[in-house]
Every structure is written in C-alpha cells, then in structure tokens.
Amino acid sequence: MERRVSTDGPRGILFDLDGTLVDSLPDIIASFLHGFAHLGLPVPPIAEVRALIGQPLDVMYTQFAPDHVPLLCATYREHYPLNFLNHSRPFRGVERVLRTLRERGYLLAVATTKRSDMARRFVDALGMGDLLHHVQGTDGFPHKPAPDVLHRALAALGTGGLWMVGDTTLDLRAGQAAGLRTYAVTWGTHSQEELALATPDELQPDLERLLAHLPSLSG
Ligand SMILES: [Mg+2]
C-alpha cells in the first residue's frame, strides 16, 4: 500500500557529512593547502586547518589569506572533485547503520556546510547515494550552527526530525537550535572534550547507540 499517513510521527535523521559519515578530512586538507602552493602563498600548518573544518570554505581561507579568498576558493573547487576520493571512505559501520535505519522506516538526510552540488557529487562518488533520501548542502544561507540547513533537509524529507548526528559543536548547536536530539561521534574534527562542552544527548565512538534509540517503525 502506497498511502503515506500524514499523522505519522517525525522520522527524520540528519547527518553531517565530512568527519561524521565519511573520513574525508585528509582529502579536504590536501585540496585546501593546494591553493596556497598553487598561488605561491605561505602554506598554513595542517593542525590549524584541521581545527577549522566544518566551517565554510571562504571563512576558512579568510583566517590565513584574507586578500586571496575568491581565488583560493576557486582553486579548491577545481582541485577537490578531482581528488576527493584519494583517501576518503565511509567510517567503519556507517553504511550498515544507514541501511538498517532505512529498513526500520526512518528517512535519512545529509545536512552539510558543503555546497549541495559538491556534496551530492561526493556522496554519489562514494556509492552512498542510495543509502540517503536527501543530500542538503548550504547554498547561500546561514551555515551551522544556524539550523537553516537542518530545516531545509527536513522539509525535503517531508517529515519532522528526531536526531542530528555530527562531529563538531557546530553540528550539535544546529541540532539543538532545530529542536532535535544530538549525537556526537568522536572520530571526526572535534575532540571528545570539545564535543562534551556542547552537551550532546549522546557522545560516542561509534553509531551503535543511535540504532539502540531507533527501533523499527514498521512493527
Ligand atoms: Mg563534520
């Protein structure tokens, strides 16, 4: 039966992409640094770049070379799609968790600070396109910790939200602002100590507790 019952409760689960679903930070950092070398600018330390991942590209570049931001962004957007699969892979267990949640009746979306076109291309290239009902990027509206990208993802799913899963305090604050429960994974950008400051509902080294919170809706 195809009928969708409008009185169903919320069943949207939102995931940050980089550092949450996908171990993509080395490729992002490599493309980020490529621009400096390409333009003959001093190359910033990797640790300082890593700490900024999750923020928009132009914000990140402004920290190091405020006079060259448009050119650095353009160089990145050319380099990154040609190199974004060099080392990037889904974190261990991610695909199984997404598949299980889908089978249990939840609607799954990415909510990322990447632009939608780049995010979609990346997800498809990783072979994860069929696991997600929607990929929502940040296209010219306020980025996380503002909740806008989460609201758009849920609107595209056509349901209310239950959980926001992320690897930075930006994800957690966005989730809280959108009225969702928040799940922090400790395998990404921010340390366990930093994540704890944002008081997530769960702070875990894997996604097993998410499955425990979300039983099958079909039964
Ligand atoms: Mg992230």
Side-chain angles (χ1 to χ4, degrees), residues 16-22 24-25 53-55 111-113 144 165-168 171 188-190:
D16 170 59
L17 182 58
D18 296 298
T20 297
L21 296 181
V22 186
S24 53
L25 305 190
I53 290 181
Q55 301 195 40
T112 176
T113 302
K144 292 179 276 188
V165 184
D167 72 310
T168 71
D171 300 311
T189 300
H190 282 174

Short mmCIF file of all heavy atoms in Angstrom, two decimals, residues 16-22 24-25 53-55 111-113 144 165-168 171 188-190, ligand 1:
data_model
loop_
_atom_site.label_atom_id
_atom_site.label_comp_id
_atom_site.label_asym_id
_atom_site.label_seq_id
_atom_site.Cartn_x
_atom_site.Cartn_y
_atom_site.Cartn_z
N ASP A 16 25.64 15.08 9.59
CA ASP A 16 26.71 15.84 8.97
C ASP A 16 27.47 14.87 8.04
O ASP A 16 27.39 13.66 8.22
CB ASP A 16 27.61 16.40 10.07
CG ASP A 16 28.88 17.00 9.51
OD1 ASP A 16 28.78 17.93 8.70
OD2 ASP A 16 29.97 16.51 9.87
N LEU A 17 28.19 15.40 7.09
CA LEU A 17 28.87 14.54 6.11
C LEU A 17 30.35 14.32 6.45
O LEU A 17 30.75 13.22 6.84
CB LEU A 17 28.72 15.15 4.71
CG LEU A 17 29.31 14.39 3.53
CD1 LEU A 17 28.74 12.99 3.41
CD2 LEU A 17 29.06 15.17 2.22
N ASP A 18 31.15 15.39 6.33
CA ASP A 18 32.61 15.26 6.49
C ASP A 18 32.99 15.08 7.95
O ASP A 18 32.64 15.91 8.80
CB ASP A 18 33.29 16.51 5.93
CG ASP A 18 33.06 16.64 4.43
OD1 ASP A 18 33.49 15.75 3.70
OD2 ASP A 18 32.43 17.64 4.01
N GLY A 19 33.69 14.01 8.24
CA GLY A 19 34.12 13.75 9.61
C GLY A 19 33.06 13.04 10.42
O GLY A 19 33.30 12.67 11.57
N THR A 20 31.87 12.85 9.83
CA THR A 20 30.78 12.15 10.53
C THR A 20 30.45 10.85 9.81
O THR A 20 30.59 9.77 10.37
CB THR A 20 29.53 13.04 10.63
OG1 THR A 20 29.86 14.19 11.41
CG2 THR A 20 28.38 12.29 11.29
N LEU A 21 30.00 10.96 8.57
CA LEU A 21 29.74 9.75 7.78
C LEU A 21 31.00 9.29 7.05
O LEU A 21 31.22 8.10 6.85
CB LEU A 21 28.63 10.00 6.75
CG LEU A 21 27.24 10.31 7.29
CD1 LEU A 21 26.26 10.50 6.13
CD2 LEU A 21 26.76 9.21 8.23
N VAL A 22 31.81 10.27 6.63
CA VAL A 22 32.95 9.97 5.76
C VAL A 22 34.24 10.49 6.37
O VAL A 22 34.31 11.63 6.84
CB VAL A 22 32.74 10.60 4.36
CG1 VAL A 22 33.86 10.16 3.42
CG2 VAL A 22 31.38 10.21 3.79
N SER A 24 36.92 12.03 5.53
CA SER A 24 37.28 12.84 4.35
C SER A 24 38.25 13.97 4.67
O SER A 24 38.62 14.73 3.78
CB SER A 24 36.00 13.43 3.74
OG SER A 24 35.26 14.13 4.74
N LEU A 25 38.65 14.07 5.92
CA LEU A 25 39.46 15.24 6.28
C LEU A 25 40.81 15.31 5.56
O LEU A 25 41.21 16.40 5.13
CB LEU A 25 39.64 15.32 7.81
CG LEU A 25 38.33 15.32 8.63
CD1 LEU A 25 38.62 15.65 10.09
CD2 LEU A 25 37.31 16.29 8.08
N ILE A 53 37.83 22.84 9.96
CA ILE A 53 36.98 22.08 9.04
C ILE A 53 35.58 21.95 9.62
O ILE A 53 35.41 21.68 10.81
CB ILE A 53 37.60 20.72 8.73
CG1 ILE A 53 38.83 20.95 7.85
CG2 ILE A 53 36.60 19.81 8.00
CD1 ILE A 53 39.54 19.69 7.45
N GLY A 54 34.60 22.16 8.76
CA GLY A 54 33.20 22.22 9.20
C GLY A 54 32.65 23.62 9.01
O GLY A 54 31.45 23.83 9.00
N GLN A 55 33.58 24.59 8.86
CA GLN A 55 33.16 25.95 8.55
C GLN A 55 33.19 26.14 7.03
O GLN A 55 33.86 25.39 6.32
CB GLN A 55 34.09 26.95 9.23
CG GLN A 55 34.11 26.77 10.75
CD GLN A 55 34.72 27.95 11.46
OE1 GLN A 55 34.49 29.09 11.09
NE2 GLN A 55 35.51 27.66 12.47
N ALA A 111 23.05 16.84 6.11
CA ALA A 111 22.93 18.30 6.27
C ALA A 111 24.35 18.83 6.47
O ALA A 111 24.91 18.73 7.56
CB ALA A 111 22.03 18.64 7.45
N THR A 112 24.92 19.37 5.39
CA THR A 112 26.34 19.71 5.38
C THR A 112 26.58 21.18 5.04
O THR A 112 25.74 21.81 4.39
CB THR A 112 27.10 18.83 4.37
OG1 THR A 112 28.47 19.24 4.30
CG2 THR A 112 26.50 18.95 2.97
N THR A 113 27.74 21.67 5.45
CA THR A 113 28.14 23.04 5.11
C THR A 113 28.74 23.11 3.70
O THR A 113 28.87 24.18 3.12
CB THR A 113 29.11 23.57 6.19
OG1 THR A 113 28.45 23.51 7.44
CG2 THR A 113 29.54 25.00 5.94
N LYS A 144 25.71 26.16 9.67
CA LYS A 144 25.72 25.67 11.05
C LYS A 144 26.72 26.47 11.87
O LYS A 144 27.80 26.74 11.35
CB LYS A 144 26.10 24.17 11.08
CG LYS A 144 25.06 23.26 10.45
CD LYS A 144 25.48 21.79 10.48
CE LYS A 144 26.37 21.40 9.33
NZ LYS A 144 26.64 19.95 9.23
N VAL A 165 23.22 14.07 13.88
CA VAL A 165 24.46 13.38 14.17
C VAL A 165 25.62 14.17 13.58
O VAL A 165 25.58 14.53 12.40
CB VAL A 165 24.45 11.95 13.56
CG1 VAL A 165 25.71 11.19 13.95
CG2 VAL A 165 23.20 11.19 13.99
N GLY A 166 26.63 14.47 14.38
CA GLY A 166 27.74 15.26 13.86
C GLY A 166 29.04 15.06 14.61
O GLY A 166 29.07 14.41 15.66
N ASP A 167 30.09 15.65 14.06
CA ASP A 167 31.43 15.51 14.65
C ASP A 167 31.97 16.83 15.20
O ASP A 167 33.12 16.86 15.63
CB ASP A 167 32.42 14.94 13.63
CG ASP A 167 32.78 15.94 12.55
OD1 ASP A 167 31.86 16.54 11.97
OD2 ASP A 167 33.99 16.14 12.30
N THR A 168 31.16 17.90 15.15
CA THR A 168 31.63 19.18 15.69
C THR A 168 30.54 19.82 16.55
O THR A 168 29.35 19.49 16.44
CB THR A 168 31.99 20.20 14.59
OG1 THR A 168 30.78 20.66 13.97
CG2 THR A 168 32.93 19.62 13.55
N ASP A 171 27.60 21.24 14.58
CA ASP A 171 26.51 20.31 14.29
C ASP A 171 25.57 20.19 15.48
O ASP A 171 24.33 20.17 15.32
CB ASP A 171 27.06 18.91 13.97
CG ASP A 171 27.99 18.91 12.78
OD1 ASP A 171 27.61 19.48 11.74
OD2 ASP A 171 29.08 18.32 12.89
N GLY A 188 35.80 12.40 14.43
CA GLY A 188 35.97 13.46 13.43
C GLY A 188 36.82 14.61 13.88
O GLY A 188 37.87 14.43 14.49
N THR A 189 36.34 15.83 13.61
CA THR A 189 37.14 17.04 13.78
C THR A 189 37.36 17.42 15.24
O THR A 189 38.48 17.72 15.64
CB THR A 189 36.44 18.21 13.05
OG1 THR A 189 36.35 17.89 11.67
CG2 THR A 189 37.22 19.50 13.21
N HIS A 190 36.30 17.46 16.03
CA HIS A 190 36.42 17.96 17.40
C HIS A 190 36.70 16.84 18.39
O HIS A 190 36.19 15.72 18.23
CB HIS A 190 35.15 18.72 17.81
CG HIS A 190 35.08 20.10 17.24
ND1 HIS A 190 33.98 20.92 17.38
CD2 HIS A 190 36.00 20.83 16.55
CE1 HIS A 190 34.22 22.08 16.79
NE2 HIS A 190 35.42 22.05 16.28
MG MG B 1 31.86 17.49 10.09
#
